Every structure is written in structure tokens, then in C-alpha cells.
Amino acid sequence: MDANTYDVIVIGAGPVGENVADRVVQGGLSAAVVERELVGGECSYWACMPTKALLRSAAALRAARQVPGAREAVTGGLDVAAVLRRRDSFSSHWEDDGQASWLSSAGIALYRGQGRISSDKVVEVTGEDGAMRSLTARHAVVIATGSAALLPDIPGLRAATPWSSREAAAATSVPARLAVIGGGVVASEMAAVFSGLGSSVTVLARDGVLPLAEPFAGERVTESLREAGVRVLLGAEAGSVQRGGDGVVRITLTSGEQVEADELLVAIGRTPNTREIGLDIVGLAPGAWLTVDDTLRVVGDDGELLADGWLYAAGDVNRRVLLTHQGKYQARAVGDVIVARAKGEAIEDSPWGRHVATADERAVPQVVFTEPEIASVGLTAAAAGAAGLRIRVVDYDLGAVAGSALHADGFAGHARMVVDEDRKVVVGFTLVGPDVAELLHAATIAIVGEVPLDRLWHAVPAFPTISEVWLRLLEAYGR
Ligand SMILES: Cc1cc2nc3c(=O)[nH]c(=O)nc-3n(C[C@H](O)[C@H](O)[C@H](O)COP(=O)(O)OP(=O)(O)OC[C@H]3O[C@@H](n4cnc5c(N)ncnc54)[C@H](O)[C@@H]3O)c2cc1C
């Protein structure tokens, strides 16, 4: 066998690329992954893991302070150095030996370097030393190159050396003043992190806070950031930026107001890592988000299959859902469908079939780890309405549930269930409150399983848990 030929070649060893390769090997094919930075990708070193580690200590402290008896035992504030050390450990100290040896134990070949498609099913890998080697795929090439932070064209911004989410997640010290451009998930979580660590934070949220969530979620997070001392400027747009000789960043808003900070974080969205991967070979423009068909094969703008169907794209790079768990779900579908096609097996591509990622459109769970946490899945009321569904929205005060009051004094929260009235099933669910993240999976199961409300009535929540909100919502609906 030619040492440079594999059944499947995956470009990018983030969480998605790793999982595609693993699934392929478990299906009996051979796989190689190409990685130019760290095996484990953005999620392990600069995104999910470090940010959640940074948020967790403040959340634990808050939880202790909300329960008498525990509260009295808390005699100090956060130990910032210990928080940063714990983050370092959850980021594996930015070393990937652990994940690289997992690849090897899973029977996956790793090539370090920049991967680029150079012709049909051929990927060129350029190592750090400039050495190049060609890998050939028998069946498929999978692009799992992920995304990077987007920097807008604001005059002076680049020269002011702003932080992206990477610098924020890996920060070794806490700036006295931090300004944040953006109001989405990353901006909100980072504002909570740095405010908790002692920075004086200003958020410039042109489009509001968490604009894609149910409105009450963004409102509650805005309120709580403000209660924590964060300046949240809704509708504020940065017009220009300048870092002075004194190191201070001055952001002039389009309103004329000026905001000063020691560091500036830009968190306004992502751009695909597709600039240097040889997209021109298959007739696509470098730098584009990739569009895929049901089984995640790359298609052109007209929806026509490209590259005779040997090219797939999974994870952030196809822009379907920019979340690790959803990318890994796509990875399982891609790995399995490549194996099925290679073996001439039937393709299960009807909705909810094994080879398609149906949940990407109907049931994406997401947690925003702010205080309070926002946990949501499926459609918001606005999105369901826009999709033409005949819906009924049921709201309940989460703080009024017995389990919530026991969980923490002063527990404040809210729950919303969006019901498709024609099918009598839940299509959307949002929870806002402390520690609600772990409640989310029940809602995901209800939506994916399309469990009729009549049957959901028989799923009795244990007393006294916060999950009793399910019973209260069904009663409010009219059971
Ligand atoms: C601050 C922040 C916090 C987040 N928190 C969460 C969270 O809590 N939960 C969650 O689910 N999601 C979270 N996300 C999103 C999550 O990080 C991404 O959805 C996930 O990392 C996408 O995985 P991926 O494998 O598609 O891409 P990536 O993780 O970006 O991995 C792609 C890999 O491909 C490599 N690569 C790129 N181009 C090439 C090339 N040409 N040749 C070789 N290698 C290449 C890169 O070096 C990288 O290792 C967060 C994102 C950010 C920015």
C-alpha cells in the first residue's frame, strides 16, 4: 500500500476533523488528518474549554453565596491566579500531545502542516520547515478547517492590536479596563469573565445583547451584567479606534462619545478558514463559507454537487451551526456516509436518517454560560412565526418552582415553551436562570422525539427539582 494514500483525508484536526476520522476508521476505512496548529482545534485551546473554565469559578462562588450556611463559609473573593491556572490546565497548557496520542491510538495518521487541495482527491501538506508531501484519498476529502475571529473594517482598529476571542481566552493578566465590541454569545461570556475577574468592562452592543435568543434572555443578561458593574451600551457602534502612546485604546462611537480601555476585545462573528485550502481547484472562491448538501458534500451556489461528490465539509466551515457538539454530530454523519458509500451500502438521507444532520435545522441546543445561564433549543417564538408555524407560546416564572427556591435564595429565572399547535409538539424551549444548563437535554429530547404534549404529560418531573417547570408549563398550556 502507498504510504501516502488513505481512504479519507481530513483537513483540520479540530473537534470535528478528529471525529470524522475516528468514525471513518471505526467503519473499517483508513484516515489521515492534516493539522497546521494544535490537534483539538479552537474549542480545546481558545474557545469552549478555556472560556468555560474561566467562568466556572465565579459561578461556583455565586452559587455558594446564594445558599445560607454555605454563604457564611465564603470569606474571600475570587483567587484570580488560581482561576487562570485552572484555565491553563483545561487548555492542556496549549500543548496537544494528549490529543495527538489519542489520534494515534485510534489508528488515525496525523500530518502536521498546512493542507491544500492540489488536484482531484489530492491534498498537499506543507510542513513548518517548508517541506511538502502529497496525500491521495481513495474515497473522500473532508474540509474541517473551522473558522477564525472576524475583524471589521473600522478605521484604526488593526493598528490598535485588539484582542480576538483567542487573546481573551488565553489572557495571562486581567486588564483594568476592557472594552468589548459585540453583543453575541462570545461578547457576553467574555464580559462576564473579565468583570468577574475584576476588570471594569464596557460592552458596545450595536445590535443588542444576544439578539438571536428570546428577547427576555438578552434583557436578563444585560440586567445582570449591569448589576455586576458592566457598562452595556445598547445600539453603540464603534466609528474609529486609536491606541495612544500611553497604551490606552480610545474608541470613538458613531454618536461621538469616546470609550477608553486598556484592552479592546472584538467579538462580532467568525470568518471561515478557507483562504488557502485550494478551493479554486473545485471552482470555488477562496475565503468562502462552504455550502453543503444533505449528506454534507460541497455544492456550488446553484446547489450542484462539486468535485464529483468526493469533497465534504463539516463543522464551523459550512456555517450551518457554529458549535462544537453540532459539528461533531455532523462529523458522525459524514464519517458514516463516506463509509456507506465506499462499501456500496444504502444511504439513509431522509429527515432524521443516520447520514443527515437534521437536528441542525430543528433542534440545536445551546448554552450561554453567563449569569444567569441561557439554555435554549429549537426555535424561538420569532423564528417559529417566521417559519410559518401556527404556534402557542407558554411562559412560566422559573423562580416560582419549588426546586428553584431550594436551589438558591432569590432564584430568578424564566422558561418559555413554544408549541406547534398543528402537531401539538414542542418546537422551541428557552430557560434563563442560574445553573439551568443541565436542564436543557430534556427539552432537546422532547423536540427531537417530537413527543406529543399528551404523552409529555406522563413524563413526571421529580419533586423538588427545577425540572418541575415542565409540569407547570403543561398546566399553563391547559392540561
Ligand atoms: C470564545 C469561543 C467560545 C466558544 N464556546 C463554545 C462552547 O462553549 N460550546 C460549543 O459548543 N462551542 C463553542 N464555541 C464554538 C466552537 O469553538 C467551534 O464551533 C468549534 O471549535 C468548531 O470546530 P471545528 O473542528 O469545525 O473547527 P476548529 O475548532 O476551528 O478547528 C479547525 C482546525 O483546522 C485547522 N486548520 C485550518 N486550516 C487548516 C489547513 N489549511 N491545514 C491544516 N489545518 C488547518 C485549524 O488549525 C484548527 O485546528 C466557541 C467559540 C468561541 C470563539
Side-chain angles (χ1 to χ4, degrees), residues 116-158:
R116 186 182 150 272
I117 299 163
S118 57
S119 60
D120 272 14
K121 297 189 193 168
V122 177
V123 174
E124 250 174 36
V125 185
T126 310
E128 254 183 30
D129 55 1
M132 214 190 48
R133 86 190 276 175
S134 266
L135 304 176
T136 304
R138 284 190 204 90
H139 298 293
V141 173
V142 183
I143 302 175
T145 50
S147 66
L150 179 67
L151 213 54
D153 276 332
I154 298 174
L157 181 62
R158 267 167 215 279

Side-chain angles (χ1 to χ4, degrees), residues 12 15-16 35-36 41-42 47 52 114-115 145-146 277 316 323-325:
V16 177
E35 175 53 55
R36 67 178 181 190
E42 204 71 14
K52 268 77 251 182
Q114 172 84 23
T145 50
I277 59 168
D316 276 15
L323 288 169
T324 292
H325 46 272

Side-chain angles (χ1 to χ4, degrees), residues 244-287:
D246 53 1
V248 174
V249 188
R250 293 181 178 84
I251 305 132
T252 307
L253 307 185
T254 48
S255 64
E257 190 185 339
Q258 207 171 62
V259 172
E260 288 196 353
D262 301 295
E263 293 296 350
L264 168 63
L265 164 64
V266 180
I268 58 148
R270 309 286 296 171
T271 181
N273 289 329
T274 56
R275 216 161 273 289
E276 295 152 351
I277 59 168
L279 282 189
D280 47 317
I281 299 291
V282 297
L284 290 174

Side-chain angles (χ1 to χ4, degrees), residues 296-443:
L296 300 147
R297 290 177 299 187
V298 175
V299 298
D301 291 340
D302 53 3
E304 287 298 311
L305 201 58
L306 293 178
D308 292 329
W310 54 261
L311 189 61
Y312 293 73
D316 276 15
V317 78
N318 68 26
R319 210 187 202 176
R320 286 174 69 142
V321 186
L322 278 71
L323 288 169
T324 292
H325 46 272
Q326 221 60 26
K328 284 159 70 172
Y329 162 70
Q330 292 174 14
R332 295 189 285 276
V334 168
D336 288 358
V337 82
I338 291 172
V339 170
R341 287 197 171 111
K343 293 182 175 171
E345 292 169 359
I347 305 303
E348 297 173 34
D349 59 358
S350 49
W352 303 115
R354 176 174 177 189
H355 298 134
V356 290
T358 310
D360 282 356
E361 284 139 32
R362 307 210 203 157
V364 175
Q366 176 161 30
V367 175
V368 186
F369 290 85
T370 41
E371 271 184 51
E373 290 175 346
I374 312 296
S376 61
V377 55
L379 301 174
T380 58
L389 299 184
R390 202 170 62 84
I391 56 162
R392 186 161 152 212
V393 175
V394 188
D395 285 300
Y396 198 80
D397 172 4
L398 198 58
V401 176
S404 306
L406 275 164
H407 187 79
D409 280 11
F411 189 112
H414 193 83
R416 169 169 289 182
M417 175 170 83
V418 181
V419 176
D420 177 341
E421 283 293 82
D422 291 324
R423 294 186 302 137
K424 298 285 180 205
V425 294
V426 182
V427 291
F429 205 92
T430 299
L431 292 153
V432 174
D435 308 319
V436 293
E438 297 298 340
L439 270 69
L440 184 60
H441 200 55

Side-chain angles (χ1 to χ4, degrees), residues 79-170:
D79 178 338
V80 173
V83 174
L84 297 182
R85 277 199 303 277
R86 186 162 189 267
R87 181 275 320 270
D88 293 352
S89 145
F90 273 94
S91 312
S92 308
H93 301 274
W94 294 273
E95 285 170 8
D96 68 357
D97 344 5
Q99 300 217 41
S101 58
W102 175 82
L103 280 182
S104 152
S105 69
I108 300 161
L110 169 63
Y111 290 87
R112 291 197 182 266
Q114 172 84 23
R116 186 182 150 272
I117 299 163
S118 57
S119 60
D120 272 14
K121 297 189 193 168
V122 177
V123 174
E124 250 174 36
V125 185
T126 310
E128 254 183 30
D129 55 1
M132 214 190 48
R133 86 190 276 175
S134 266
L135 304 176
T136 304
R138 284 190 204 90
H139 298 293
V141 173
V142 183
I143 302 175
T145 50
S147 66
L150 179 67
L151 213 54
D153 276 332
I154 298 174
L157 181 62
R158 267 167 215 279
T161 57
W163 279 1
S164 73
S165 50
R166 275 198 171 197
E167 287 75 27

